[in-house]
Amino acid sequence: MIEYILGHYNYWIVIFLMMTGFYIVISRGNMIKKIAGLNIFQVSVFLLYISIGNVRDGTAPIITEGFTVYSNPLPHVLILTAIVVGVATTSLALALVVRIREAYGTIEEDEIHNKDQSL
Amino acid sequence: MMFTVAMLAILITMGLALARALLGPTVYDRIAAVNMFGTKTVLLIAVFAFLSGRTDLLDIAIIYALINFIGVIAVLKLVEQGNFHTDGNNDKADTK
Amino acid sequence: MTAEQAILLAILIPLIGALLIGLTGKKPNLRETVSLLTSITLLGTVLSLLPTVLDGQQPSVTLLEIAPGLAIRFDLEPLGMLFACVAALLWPINTLYSIGYMRGNNEQHQTRFYICFAIALSSTMGIAMAGNLLTLFICYEVLTLSTYPLVTHKGNEDALKAGRVYLGILLSTSIGFLLLAILWTWHLTGTLDFKAGGILAGKVAGPELIILLFLYMYGIGKAALMPIHRWLPAAMVAPTPVSALLHAVAVVKAGVFSVVKVVVYVFGLDMLKISAGADWILWLAGFTILVASIIALRQDNLKRRLAYSTISQLSYVILAIFILAPLSTVAAALHIAAHAFGKITLFFAAGSIYTAAHKTSISQLNGIGYRMPWTMTAFSIGAISMIGLPPTAGFLSKWYMLMGAFQEQQLFAVLVIVASTLLNAAYFIPIIYAAWFKQPKQDEHEHSHGEAPRAIVLALMITAALTLLLFFFPDVPLQLATSLTGGHS
Amino acid sequence: MIDTILDVTLLAFIAVTAIAILRLRNLFAIIMLFGIFSLLSAGLFVVLDAADVAFTEAAVGAGISTVLLLATLALTKEHEEKIPSHRPWLPLLVVLVTGAALIYGTLDIAPFGSASAPAQTHVAPLYLEQGMAQTGVPNVVTGVLASYRGFDTLGEVTVIFTAGIAVLLLIGGRRRENQTRKEKE
Amino acid sequence: MKHNLILRVVSKILIPLIILFGLYVQFHGDFGPGGGFQAGVIFSSAFILYSLVFGLDTAEKIIPPPVLKVLASLGVLLYAGTGVASLLLGGNYLDYSVLAKTPLAGQHIGIIVIELGVGITVAAVMLIIFFAFAGRGRT
Amino acid sequence: MITDVLSWFCLVSGGLLGVVGGIGMHRFPDFYSRLHAAGTTDTLCAALFLLGLGLQAGLSLASAKLALIFVFLFFTSPTASHSVANAALHGGLKPLQDEHNKGDA
Amino acid sequence: MIETHLSLLLVVIPLIAAPIVAILPNGRLPWLVTLLVSLSCLVLAIMQLWNVADGSIISYELGGWAPPWGIEYRIDVINAFVALLVAGVAAVTLPYALLSVEKEIPTKQISLFYSAFLLCLSGLLGITQTGDIFNLFVFLEISSLSSYALISLGKQRKALTAAYQYLFMGTIGATFILIGIGLAYAVTGTLNMADLAARLPEVEATRTLQTAFIFLLIGVAIKLAVFPLHLWLPNAYAYAPSVITIFLAATATKVAAYVLIRIIFTVFGASLAFQEMHIHWLLLPLASIAVISASLVAIFQYNIKRMLAYSSVAQIGYILLGIGIASATGLTASLLHLFNHALMKAALFMALGAVLYQVGSVALQDMAGLGRRMPWTMAAFVAGGLSLIGVPLTVGFISKLYLILAAFEQGWWWLIVVVAIGSLLAIVYIWRIVETAYFKPTSHSNVTEAPLSLLLPLWLIVIANFYFGIDTSLTVSVSESAANMLLGGKP
Amino acid sequence: MKSVSLFILSCLLWLLLSGHFEVLMLALGLASVILTVFLSLRMNIVDHESYPINLTFKVLRFFIFLWREIILANIDVVVRILKPGKTISPRLANVPLPQKTDLGRVIYANAITLTPGTVSVQLDKETVAVHALAQETVDDLQTGRMAKMVPEEQKDIGK
């Protein structure tokens, strides 16, 4: 059992992080905070991938003399792409927030909802 | 071994800086703490590079230092001016 | 011209007519000429098919196949021929009447009216000649859609509301129940083609059969079996020619026609005889006949009374077919024609009264018979036919119906027919009595009026004559009706 | 051993930061902490041998994302998050269920760091063994990124390009008018 | 910035350093951590620093936004074009082995070129985004 | 051997400095004084670390990179400290001062 | 050369065209290039479907690396079918776009607009073509990001919040997909879909795999707007520019449905999905609720675009019903409905776009009397509406036919009832408009018929609605062979 | 002149960073350096402020001095932190700024900040506001001991 926990603690903390981010995204009404939460959520997923690809006593997958055990490069590649996707999403989301603020005068979802309803 | 010790020391320092960043109380405290935290991360990576014997990881430390700096500047610009588009050079008179 | 081409022509002619009407819409005289010509051409085409069918042939055309067993197919059998003849015969008369009525009342959107009318006739031909359930269904839907603008012709809020009821009930029952039943049938049998003896025979039994039967009966909402009859009185807001179209020529006839088709060619009489479901429908039909008659008694608005009368008359057809005797099947087919002629006469008369005297209530009709003798004569003939007295067509069909009921010892059906005949009399006789024997109330009319425009009078006289003729010369329809059940009666 | 300590400590830091972000209402502080969050996770990536990822995360998360968040803050001029009017029970439930599902999902995953896990034994070994010979690139990550999965990277560049187009479409418009107006003055 | 003397001087020293470092990362992605994407971000961060310190208008004079748009497109085209080149030379899409005499050399060239494409696009887009944000609300 | 000892010394004292700086961040009463603990102790601490590492690396690419890091930190750290303090002052944050203050700010 | 690289060019041509279009000067040139690109895509897609129609599979190794090490394009009937749908809709939308876009988008954004449109097209095509699950994620994001931006270009400010809402839900969905991919990778070590499928039997029972499956499902369900994750869709479709609504409504959810089908049947396999995890007990009720509730909500909408958007949610329910039945007939119904719904929604939204173009509003009361003012447009709308209801001779009938047949095969009565109720509700909401347009007095005395360049594509689609409702040989045979292939049999 | 020195410095830096000496890499390096110099020139940031090559010797001397100061000051601060009780008396003071060039002022201010215990808070033309942990450090600064060491050109060119 102890071994089991030791073997998985990394995943569990990562999942905890993920859920924190996810919670921020779906429970908060402030758009900027939501975007921060979204990033936390995504970064945690990245950590999950990297954890999956980690090999004990391995090293970064850059072939160098003197090392034989390398961590799995594939998750790294995937996550590089995912990070880029993440930043693209973030910038787009922020641009939208800026426009929303210009149009509505607020970045709180509740208030925007009220303004839409009152029309 | 020595790297391990150094690493631990850095970790403790980071923890303290993090605590300050969390506690505040002013924005400036946080900025300062973030700056310090960033510096310590740079060191952490540098030490880790030696610890694991991969000195090519030092590139990462460099970029950390860089990004940290720019981040802090951006924060300051925001705190001081409230926007990012004001011309920086228009009040040089200050120093003349 | 082969029979196959004639079938397609029968469907195309009204469509082409609709197109031409649309093109000539700016010139009313030309438009109405086109309309009349189209209807006469159609009549000619349909009649040209009559000998072929009377010969016992069944010409059929398959247009296209959507999926295995799902095709657009036309197939002319005796019952369809009968229906097609009735519709084609009544269209020119109705057109004639429409011209008088629409002009007499200065109605709006006349071009739309004639176009929709023509499309409705095209789909009626399609229903009459449909070779399978899918084709029947499609034409059935086109008929619903094309009559909708006619029902809401006035365009005011009342008309729209009525149109919503009309469309809502007809479309929802047809898509919700009928289409479902059709697909189910396809699933069970792999075909939808009408076949003597029934395609479902032996393929379905027990509760499933009953459910399917109910789906069909309520899916064909145009048959106005209670409690989905509401659309029919609602549609009374329409101009009178439209009511005539709905009640006599196309819509409700298409409903009961479909019911007969489904019972005869999809289920088959033999299979229904051993199912409890048929009895239920019988009882429902009887119930509808009685209740609708009682409601009709209480209506003062003439057209509404006629509408409830229609509901009850439609259920005669259903009752007749569900007696499940060959004789009563003949009666059902005959009643379609008989009721068509009778009811169209009644509606024409009602429209005539409206056009000439602007009256819609029965209580206003005292003594009107002397002012509008032709109209009220025709009305009386129609009413007698509805009650089922000789020398009108209505007697003929009721007679066969009773015979069938006795043959099958359906005491319930006998009782219903007798009771309803009394009720029919109870709501028609007072009108005739008032028209001819009561003194007009002095205070209520300011303007004097005479007979309706000539086109209207002509039209209603023709239909009244037809009602009588059918009694004296029933050979052709009878032959068609009897060949429906395989020739033995 | 030190790896594990590092790993756990950094994870703990990250968790603390995340909770702080959740609790704090001052948006400015949130963004600062978000910067720390990114730096920390990047540090963790280094510890987990993902040098390239750390590189990127540092540049993007702590750099670009933070700067953009700050810029947005500057433009929206709102510094305090408003307190939500209703208690977010549903989100909490959703999150708990999702978390539980994920924990359930990790139960059958190979232990952390296991070299015999399927993830490590099927496709990846070829990259490590043959990658250098086939692509001539010692950094296997670059090799896979640019060659084996080069098409993904094309997609990635397209994503970035899309983001650029999207941002221009959204907030790139007003500049030219202002500039011309400024020049006139 | 308002009281920016120190910053200004330090930035002047650091910016060339950053640019050079960015280019170093660009071309050494084969050997160590880094590559086009990271290089692009670093490269753009030099300009972001410049615009923070010397003002957005000055920065936009150095690299005008239309040029950035062209550069962003160019990067993608460079990448996708490499694939087309390999198509034309008889290989599958993005199969760099056909780009040179030996597969290995081909791979090498291909990787350098596409990384360059990535770098250009990323740098340009990051600047586009930053300029868009920073320039918004300018009166 | 001698380099090892020197490295040890540098790293350990650097580590200690860092920790002390961290403590200072909590012990000092206001922002400005905390800044001294944070920003400045940082400088020497970082320098010592980098020096210790550099000694281990010897004359190599690694030490060149360490030097580069050093340059970055050396320039940025005081700049950042100064800017934060400057911003704080302009932001209206009053420094905590002793009553026998001779300053005239 | 084109023959061998067919499947690849389909994706790469719009991808290359996008940056070129972005730097073209604003005007009609960007439109022209985009039109040419989408036409060539259509040609390629037709050729591709032709090649695989016999049940063969094309495998294209990107970068020349053998799968599972490199990325593979793996084309069978299903991909080709969906790709054809996407390319076809794009090709028809673009002629329509010229005037509509000029009216709704500021001139200085035209070239960027078309660039984003091409990116979206490229992303959608990329999703359909790829055989690599991570590559799928990447292209999913390309299409999503561009569609967020495109949606936000709507004239009303609600377009912004709609895009924002879509962005958040979409990103959460994408992240869920990412988690799913990660977990699947953790237990199999591969990203190639075919390879994944091959390696799954070894690990089928593991909890990790089940979780991966669930996360992928939820992720895709968000993109697909499955009830109750559909909240983004009505606003997004209602407030986007006309052209974008047409394009996205006809393609985006279809592609998401394709992904769902792929993941369930090709990657994880029907036995895991339905026999072990019983996902149909989740799918079917949700789909049924979607059909009924979304249709009900649609009845009460006064913004017609929004009404149609709710109708889309309901129609997605039909697709899901077919998937949930999981028989050959059910899948055929789903695939047919993918195609058919694209046709009908394209027609409906195009008609609405024309109304918006001429009248400037799509509110119900503003459509009064349009039947007379814009006869061709409204006739097309009615035709599309009939198709949506499922009247025979239209495409809507065909897919419902197969759906009901599939339900008959299973003996699931309640499902038939659901389909029937859905159709009935469709009558109600379509008829509201017909009634208003034809039988209410007009309030716009100076409105005229839409220009020909809007009407031609519109009627092309309307005719397609009828053509494929009558001659079903192509769609049904392709869907059937695709369904059989998905269920593991011979096509 | 300045650009040449920037070029040379850049080349050196590249070689230090790179560690690869194949022709291709060197060529790329050259290209990179040229681009860097080009951009720097375009940014107009290559001037006497950023590349004070004429002060090399003075700078070196100042460095050594500065580091001695830093170490001493560090020890001082460490003691203040660790010693129990109240050890600091923070204050804000204005210190004269004798330098004539911007660069000189910057170097001086940075030096003040680098030495723990003092942070330059605000730079003006004649004075620099310094926040200090204790009076002694301020006094030390007031003597101008450090100010004298700051390397500087003789006259303010350029500006």
Side-chain angles (χ1 to χ4, degrees), chain G residues 153-167:
Chain G
L153 293 176
K155 279 217 178 306
Q156 287 164 285
R157 67 175 181 180
K158 272 190 178 178
L160 294 171
T161 40
Y164 169 84
Q165 200 181 14
Y166 184 19
L167 185 139

Side-chain angles (χ1 to χ4, degrees), chain F residues 17 27-29 32 36 40-41 43-44 47 61 64 70 74 78 82 86 89-90 96-98 100 102-105, chain H residues 16 19 63 67 74 78 81 83 85 88-92 94 110 113-114 116-122 131 133 135:
Chain F
L17 262 175
R27 217 176 103 74
F28 283 166
Y32 293 97
H36 293 283
T40 42
T41 309
T43 331
L44 185 61
L61 274 178
F70 173 76
F74 186 75
H82 163 81
N86 189 270
L89 194 70
H90 284 268
L96 202 66
Q97 297 200 37
D98 280 7
H100 53 81
K102 293 201 315 192
D104 44 6
Chain H
L16 268 178
F63 254 64
W67 273 105
N74 259 303
V78 167
I81 291 173
K83 229 159 88 176
I88 56 169
S89 54
R91 62 208 52 239
L92 206 55
N94 275 345
N110 256 1
T113 313
L114 273 169
T118 49
V119 174
S120 62
V121 179
Q122 177 156 356
H131 185 265
L133 274 182
Q135 188 59 40

Side-chain angles (χ1 to χ4, degrees), chain A residues 4 6-20 22-24 26-30 32-33 35-37 39-41 43-44 46-48 50-64 70-85 87-92 94-99 101-102 105-108 110-111, chain D residues 4 7-8 11 14-15 18-19 21-25 27 30-31 34 37 41 44-45 47-53 56-57 60 64-65 68-69 72-73 75-76 78 80-82 85 88 91-92 94-95 98-99 102-103 106-115 119-120 123-124 127-128 132 138-141 144-145 149 152 156 159-160 163 166-167 169-171 174:
Chain A
Y4 201 80
L6 282 179
H8 291 83
Y9 71 91
N10 202 305
Y11 297 121
W12 296 344
I13 302 176
V14 168
I15 289 169
F16 172 78
L17 278 176
M18 236 183 253
M19 291 310 112
T20 313
F22 190 33
Y23 182 69
I24 295 175
I26 60 177
S27 72
R28 295 309 159 113
N30 185 290
I32 292 187
K33 186 156 179 176
I35 292 169
N39 269 288
I40 292 175
F41 187 31
V43 170
S44 318
F46 305 160
L47 280 170
L48 176 74
I50 301 302
S51 302
I52 288 170
N54 187 278
V55 175
R56 193 166 294 280
D57 302 323
T59 181
I62 301 169
I63 308 291
T64 316
Y70 297 99
S71 278
N72 188 342
L74 190 51
H76 301 179
V77 175
L78 305 183
I79 289 316
L80 277 176
T81 308
I83 290 178
V84 177
V85 170
V87 71
T89 313
T90 306
S91 51
L92 182 50
L94 289 171
L96 268 174
V97 169
V98 169
R99 285 288 301 274
R101 157 83 197 190
E102 287 170 4
T106 177
I107 54 167
E108 294 285 337
D110 292 352
E111 292 175 14
Chain D
T4 311
D7 186 36
V8 172
L11 275 171
I14 294 178
I19 291 173
I21 292 174
L22 174 65
R23 306 277 310 171
L24 279 173
R25 295 209 177 280
L27 289 177
I30 286 171
I31 297 175
F34 175 71
F37 180 89
S41 48
L44 198 58
F45 287 139
V47 174
L48 293 176
D49 305 330
D52 282 271
V53 178
T56 316
E57 176 61 27
V60 167
I64 297 291
S65 289
L68 291 183
L69 277 167
T72 312
L73 197 63
L75 288 170
T76 56
E78 289 199 14
E80 286 294 323
E81 178 198 10
K82 307 229 165 48
S85 50
L92 194 63
V94 170
V95 165
T98 318
L102 275 172
I103 301 266
T106 54
L107 294 179
D108 279 336
I109 227 168
F112 176 62
S114 157
Q120 264 74 270
V123 174
Y127 295 141
L128 290 166
M132 179 83 178
N139 184 350
V140 182
V141 175
V144 177
L145 185 87
R149 299 189 68 86
D152 263 359
E156 166 193 328
V159 166
I160 275 290
V167 169
L169 274 173
L170 276 168
I171 57 174
R174 203 173 280 178

Side-chain angles (χ1 to χ4, degrees), chain G residues 20 63 65-66 84 109 113 121 126 169 224 247 314 342 357 363 383 388 411 414 467 471:
Chain G
I20 295 175
W65 301 108
L84 177 63
Q109 290 187 331
F113 175 87
L121 175 64
M169 294 201 64
L224 178 56
F247 183 64
Y357 186 85
L388 191 70
W414 55 274
Y467 178 77
D471 178 12

Side-chain angles (χ1 to χ4, degrees), chain E residues 16-40:
Chain E
L17 219 63
I18 298 172
I19 293 176
L20 194 66
F21 182 67
L23 290 168
Y24 157 76
V25 171
Q26 170 77 58
F27 295 115
H28 288 72
D30 295 5
F31 311 108
F37 186 77
Q38 295 90 332

Side-chain angles (χ1 to χ4, degrees), chain C residues 66 164 167 180 183-184 186, chain G residues 401 405 413 416 431 435 472:
Chain C
I66 294 174
R164 248 173 261 160
L167 199 71
L180 194 60
L183 292 180
W184 195 0
W186 187 48
Chain G
L401 171 74
L405 278 188
W413 276 99
I416 297 166
W431 211 260
E435 191 187 287
T472 57

Side-chain angles (χ1 to χ4, degrees), chain G residues 411-429:
Chain G
W412 287 346
W413 276 99
W414 55 274
L415 210 153
I416 297 166
V417 174
V418 165
V419 176
I421 294 177
S423 303
L424 295 183
L425 294 172
I427 299 175
V428 180
Y429 59 72

Side-chain angles (χ1 to χ4, degrees), chain E residues 65-90:
Chain E
V67 174
L68 279 179
K69 209 164 88 176
V70 172
L71 279 176
S73 301
L74 192 71
V76 181
L77 289 177
L78 198 58
Y79 200 140
T82 311
V84 175
S86 51
L87 276 189
L88 295 175
L89 291 170

